[in-house]
Amino acid sequence: MDLIVGIDLGTTNSLCSVFKDGHPVLIPNTHGSFLTPSVIGILEDGQIVVGASAKELRVTHPERTASVFKRSMGTDRTIEVGGQSFTATKLSSLVLCALRRDAEAFLGCRVKEVVVTVPAYFNDNQRQATKQAGEMAGLKVRRIINEPTAAALTYGFHDRGAEKHLMVIDLGGGTFDVTLMEIFEGTLEIISTAGESMLGGEDFTDRLMATVLKKEGLHLETTEMKQPLRTARLREECEMAKRQLMTDGNSRIRLPDAQGTFDESKALQLNPDVFAKIVQPLMRRIRDPINKALRDGDCPPEKIDDVILVGGATRMPVMQKFVADFFKKRPLVSFNPDEVVALGAAVQAALIGDDAAVDEMVMTDVCPFTLGVEVAKEFGGRVSSGYYQPVIHRNTTIPVSREEQFGTMVPNQQEVLLMVYQGESRKVADNLCLGELRIVDIPPGPAGTEILVRFTYDLNGLLEVEAMLPSTGRKFNTVLTNHSSSLSSEELATAVAEMQKLKFYPRDDLQHQRLVLYGERMVGEVGPFHRQQLEDAIDVFEHAMSMGDRELFDRARLGLLMTLEQMGVGYDETDETDEDVAGDRR
Ligand code: ADP
Ligand code: MG
């Protein structure tokens, strides 16, 4: 059996894991970090960089990078990067390619199969797109699992004897997920799940940015369009200030000008109270999904034994305070919120691979939203369409297969166009259309001729729809036609071929590339007095990189590192995201 690697494909950071010697372990990238920023960059010569280097490039050349694209998964939206356009699926597949290379370097063997985690609230289109991103990267996606479920698996793996009600609260970069579950005798049962796919830590940063810009009479979206360098710098600044609140309790945000140079006199002082006020509208949106999950699971907050926090944004003091007040207890601190999902993906991989270390573990998951079809209703002789008839209700344990009976509207109706939706609203217009199924050649008969519709929702969270005419026994299968992200096998082959044409920056040199990019960013920071000296040191190092002379290379690298150090902007070898983690093993 092939080895299966676990992947947490995050909006902000992605991680890779494997089940090894009876335990889930994380796989480091070439920088020695477990977190790979989900950022793509295209260098001037067209080579692609992923992760820390791309994040570095984002500050100086935002137009040559893409980030937060997970939010556009499953849509047709294209994202411009360095003059080329990409779909979110394609950008995600570049992240997966990079993670695969890291995993292969770590494991010393080919990686072909993966388990990928997605937010529980990802809809069918977004899941399909995730699966395709894997396929484009040449990976077989063995299972797509919900991120909170993965977090619960890590918990369950470590505490198999527990009998508890748990709540997983995951606030990542772009999504918010809440999951209620019960654990007893090694069985993990997901009871209910709720969330918002458009709420995450990045929105908190956005609000900070908007507040700073508003003071100058500027609007975030227009400034982002017109002055990308300014907003890129400001984003970094706000991100840092936001994180600093956790450790220092105080921080300040300097405002960069249109060229990205900071104006020290225009700074916003930030403390937890000011921050809480700025983000109040977002905190209001945090409460609803928690209440919904508790209500759906018929579980009052007092019944929750443990709250597991997942996702970098749960480190915000406002979040911790909110959780403590709401549940009247402090969240569990034994898991690292950045790592718990990826570790769970490896546990899931072990379950699929029948690893002996997990043989007494059982897990059941639920369908996070209601799935149904459009129906017409008759009132006083008048027929109106647009109503939603659920077939599978939200929070039903999966896999599930349900059949519902429908009828034709008029005598001798020959065709029915079955429209499939997902969502909770009474009218289909407010729900998400997943696709359609055309039922044809219905034999002549009265109105109400029976049509049986079967929905099958599998463990990956993917839906199959089938219709059957009992009168003829004829069956019609899904092909949900307007899956915007569905690819035919030829389209997939073309996409894979296109991917193969893209040139990745050599993995072994990525670290050096990142140093160059960091140096370039610092050129703008060190002031005119040091500028020339720093540029020279970068030139020498860049030249040495292309020469293949080890001694020359080492000397040039050391020279650049020392130059940076002397200028008070020392370079940190490990990714900065990881440094935070190290200081916060909660
Ligand atoms: P995702 O799973 O979506 O990739 P992560 O779990 O990596 O996201 O969380 C990323 C988010 O967490 C970002 O919005 C980041 O700003 C935020 N974050 C990380 N560390 C901190 C911190 N110490 N304080 C506040 N926010 C943080
Ligand atoms: Mg995450």
Side-chain angles (χ1 to χ4, degrees), residues 10-13 172-174 201-202 239 242-243 246 311-313 315-316:
T11 312
T12 340
N13 293 300
E202 294 310 291
E239 174 74 26
K242 182 178 80 172
R243 289 173 183 232
M246 185 187 82
R315 289 207 175 87
M316 291 187 297

Side-chain angles (χ1 to χ4, degrees), residues 1 19 42 92 155 165 239 274 345 366 377 386 391 399 407 445 451 552:
M1 174 133 177
F19 200 83
I42 302 187
S92 301
Y155 184 98
H165 279 87
E239 174 74 26
V274 174
V366 296
K377 287 186 181 172
V391 177
I451 302 167
L552 180 76

Side-chain angles (χ1 to χ4, degrees), residues 195-206:
E196 245 206 72
S197 59
M198 285 292 167
L199 178 62
E202 294 310 291
D203 296 291
F204 287 73
T205 310
D206 278 357

